[in-house]
C-alpha cells in the first residue's frame, strides 16, 4: 500500500480513533488518505498548538496515546509548545509532521524546518524517516516508546514523497509491555522501606502524577488505608486519591493548602509516589529536606536522588512496589500525629461565608454542584489554576487536566476539547480560565461550537494577568507593568460570535443559577463570564 495508507493502518493497530491537526502541503497526502474512511476521526483545529494540546487532553482523559498531525515549517513549529507541555507532564503523544521531499532537504525549500533539532529537548524521542521501508516499523516503535516506562511525546517527521511510495505492510497486533518481576536486591530494598514506614512517628505520603500514569490509585488507597497514613497531592497528582478521602490533606507547594504544607514540614518520613519534587513543590530545598527521611518511588530511575538526595529509591512499576511495601504489618495508628493534623485542618479551614462573588467561592460552588456527577476539570495557568487546585474536589483519576511542568497559558480550552471528544456524553468537561489565558487560545471556541461539544467554560475576568500582578505586588514593590488588561472586552459577545450561549454574572446567586443552567444543558457548549473585583487579587 502507499505510505500514507500504511500510516493509517498503523494508527488503527494502535487503537487510535481520533487525530487532531491542521492541513498543509507536506501533510496533505495523509489527509487525502483520511478521506472517505470512518475508523479514524480527524479533528480540524484552528491552530496547530491547539492540536497538540487537544491530543494531550485526549491522552490525559483516556490513558491512551494522543495523536496530532501538522505540515512542515510553521505547522510543525506551532506544535512545539504543546509537545513541550506534554513532555514536562509525562503525557503519551505521537506527533506526525510532514516534511519537504527528500531531494529538497537542506535546500531551504518552502516551509522547510529541521523540526528534529527544534524538538529534541522536548520529546522522548524523534525520528526523520528517509526510507519508505522504515515508515511502518518506526510508527510502531514510536507508539511503544510514547506509552512505555515514563510516558512522553514522540515526533515522526515524514518527507512528503514517502507518503506516495509503495511500502510493505502486514498487520501486527500491539504487544503490551509487562513489567518484569523485581530481583532479590530490589525486594530487600523494598523491605527496608517498609520498615522505615512502620517505624516512623510522623509519616506522610505525597501523591504525584505518576500514580495516575501508573494506574495505581486503587493500590495507593489500599496502602494509605492499611497504614493509616496522611496524604497530600501535587498539582499533577490531583485525582490520584479522591479529594474527599478522609486521609487527604490537600494540595502542597508554593500555592498549596496550609495544612498540607505544615504536614510536610512536620513529617519525619515522606513517601513520594510518582512525584519528581519540582521546585514549586519543595520551595527552599534545604528546609524541605531537613530533619526528615524520604522514600522515593518512580518509574524513572533518573528521578531518584536527582532533587532530593539520601532517599530510599525504588524505581519501577508502582503497583508492584506498593504490593511489596504492604507486606509489613502496621505498628501504630499515629494517633498523636493525626491529632495535630486535625488541629491544623480546623485552624486553616477556608471560610466560604461571604456575600461577594469571588473565584474561590465560585470554585467551591462548582465542587458542590458537580458532586456525584460525571464531570472533569481543565484549567489554564495562573491564579485561577491555583484556586482550582485548592477549592475543587477531584474524585477520580484522569478528570483533572492542567499544565503543571511547563505552565502553559492557553492549554485549558483545547485540552478540554480533546478530553470532551474522548469522553463523548459519558462525562462533562468544565474549563476554568482567566481573561489572560483565554485570549491566547479562545479561537478554539470555534471548533467546540462547530462540533457541538458540551464544554462549560468559566472565565474569571479580573482585567489583569492575575499571577503576574500578584508577583509584582509581593516581590516588585507594586510596580505594575505589562499586567493590566484595562481595555474592556465583552467576553459574552465573543462567545456568542461562535454561536455559544454565554452569560455575565457578578453575584453569587447569578453564578449559581448560570452554572445550574449550564449543567442542565447537556447538548451545547456554555460560557460563564465572572466579573470579579480586582481588589480581591
Amino acid at each position: 500500500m502507499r505510505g500514507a495508507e500504511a500510516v493509517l493502518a498503523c494508527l488503527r493497530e494502535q487503537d487510535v480513533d481520533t487525530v487532531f491537526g491542521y492541513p498543509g502541503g507536506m501533510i496533505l497526502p495523509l489527509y487525502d488518505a483520511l478521506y472517505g474512511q470512518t475508523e479514524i476521526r480527524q479533528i480540524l483545529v484552528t491552530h496547530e498548538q491547539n492540536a497538540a494540546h487537544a491530543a494531550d487532553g485526549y491522552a490525559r482523559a483516556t490513558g491512551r496515546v494522543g495523536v496530532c498531525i501538522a505540515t512542515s515549517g510553521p505547522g510543525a513549529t506551532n506544535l512545539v509548545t504543546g509537545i513541550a507541555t506534554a513532555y514536562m507532564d509525562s503525557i503519551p503523544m505521537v506527533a506526525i509532521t510532514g516534511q519537504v521531499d527528500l531531494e529538497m532537504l537542506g535546500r531551504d525549500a518552502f516551509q522547510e524546518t529541521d523540526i528534529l533539532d527544534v524538538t529534541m529537548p522536548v520529546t522522548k524521542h524523534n525520528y526523520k524517516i528517509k526510507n519508505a521501508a522504515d515508515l511502518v516499523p518506526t510508527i510502531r516503535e514510536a507508539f511503544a516508546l510514547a506509552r512505555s516506562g515514563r510516558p512522553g511525546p514522540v515526533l515522526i517527521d515524514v518527507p512528503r514523497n514517502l507518503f506516495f511510495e509503495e511500502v510493505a505492510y502486514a498487520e501486527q497486533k500491539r504487544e503490551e509491555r509487562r513489567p518484569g518481576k523485581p530481583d532479590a536486591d530490589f525486594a530487600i530494598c523494598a523491605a527496608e522501606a517498609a520498615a522505615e514506614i512502620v517505624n516512623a512517628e510522623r509519616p506522610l505520603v505525597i501523591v504525584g502524577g505518576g500514580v495516575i500514569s501508573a494506574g495505581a490509585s486503587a493500590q495507593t488507597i489500599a496502602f494509605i488505608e492499611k497504614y493509616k497514613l496522611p496524604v497530600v497531592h501535587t498539582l499533577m497528582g490531583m485525582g490520584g486519591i479522591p479529594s474527599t478521602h478522609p486521609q487527604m490533606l490537600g494540595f502542597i507547594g508554593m500555592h498549596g493548602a496550609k495544612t498540607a504544607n505544615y504536614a510536610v514540614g512536620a513529617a519525619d518520613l515522606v513517601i513520594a509516589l510518582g512525584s519528581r519534587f519540582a521546585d514549586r513543590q519543595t520551595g527552599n530545598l534545604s528546609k524541605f529536606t531537613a530533619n526528615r527521611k524520604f522514600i522515593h518511588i518512580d518509574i524513572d530511575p533518573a528521578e531518584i536522588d536527582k532533587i532530593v538526595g539520601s532517599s530510599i529509591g525504588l524505581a519501577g512499576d508502582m503497583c508492584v512496589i506498593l504490593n511489596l511495601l504492604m507486606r509489613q504489618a502496621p505498628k501504630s495508628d499515629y494517633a498523636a500525629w493525626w491529632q495535630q493534623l486535625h488541629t491544623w485542618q480546623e485552624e486553616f479551614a477556608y471560610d466560604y461565608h461571604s456575600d461577594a462573588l469571588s473565584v474561590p467561592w465560585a470554585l467551591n460552588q462548582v465542587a458542590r454542584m458537580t458532586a456525584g456527577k460525571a464531570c472533569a476539570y481543565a484549567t489554564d495557568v495562573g491564579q485561577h489554576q491555583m484556586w482550582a487546585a485548592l477549592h475543587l474536589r477531584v474524585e477520580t483519576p484522569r478528570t483533572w487536566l492542567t499544565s503543571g511542568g511547563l505552565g502553559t497559558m492557553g492549554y485549558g480550552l483545547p485540552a478540554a476539547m480533546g478530553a470532551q471528544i474522548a469522553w463523548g456524553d459519558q462525562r462533562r468537561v468544565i474549563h476554568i480560565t482567566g481573561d489572560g489565558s483565554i485570549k491566547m487560545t479562545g479561537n478554539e471556541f470555534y471548533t467546540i461550537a462547530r462540533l457541538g461539544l458540551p464544554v462549560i467554560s468559566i472565565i474569571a475576568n479580573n482585567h489583569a494577568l492575575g499571577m503576574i500582578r500578584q508577583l509584582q505586588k509581593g516581590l516588585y514593590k507594586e510596580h505594575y507593568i505589562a499586567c493590566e488588561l484595562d481595555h474592556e472586552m465583552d467576553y459574552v459577545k465573543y462567545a456568542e460570535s461562535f454561536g455559544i450561549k454565554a452569560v455575565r454574572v457578578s453575584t453569587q446567586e447569578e453564578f449559581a443559577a448560570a452554572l445550574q443552567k449550564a449543567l442542565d444543558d447537556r447538548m451545547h457548549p456554555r460560557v460563564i463570564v465572572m466579573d470579579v473585583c480586582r481588589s480581591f487579587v
Side-chain angles (χ1 to χ4, degrees), residues 449 494-501 525:
Y494 178 63
E496 289 176 343
S497 73
F498 298 103
I500 295 174
K501 295 179 181 179

Side-chain angles (χ1 to χ4, degrees), residues 371-389:
K373 293 182 172 65
C375 290
Y377 312 95
T379 82
D380 278 293
V381 171
Q383 284 179 321
H384 68 272
Q385 178 191 32
M386 299 298 106
W387 284 323

Side-chain angles (χ1 to χ4, degrees), residues 249-311:
L249 304 178
F251 169 44
I252 61 164
M254 178 179 177
H255 300 281
K258 284 188 177 181
T259 298
N261 283 330
Y262 273 50
V264 174
D268 63 352
L269 174 68
V270 172
I271 306 117
L273 306 180
S275 170
R276 61 185 179 85
F277 294 114
D279 55 294
R280 294 216 304 180
Q281 174 188 325
T282 64
N284 184 306
L285 195 58
S286 61
K287 291 182 179 179
F288 182 82
T289 56
N291 303 316
R292 64 188 56 87
K293 296 179 180 179
F294 290 85
I295 296 172
H296 192 183
I297 299 170
D298 201 279
I299 189 67
D300 187 354
E303 290 298 331
I304 305 297
D305 290 335
K306 186 177 82 173
I307 305 297
V308 173
S310 303
S311 61

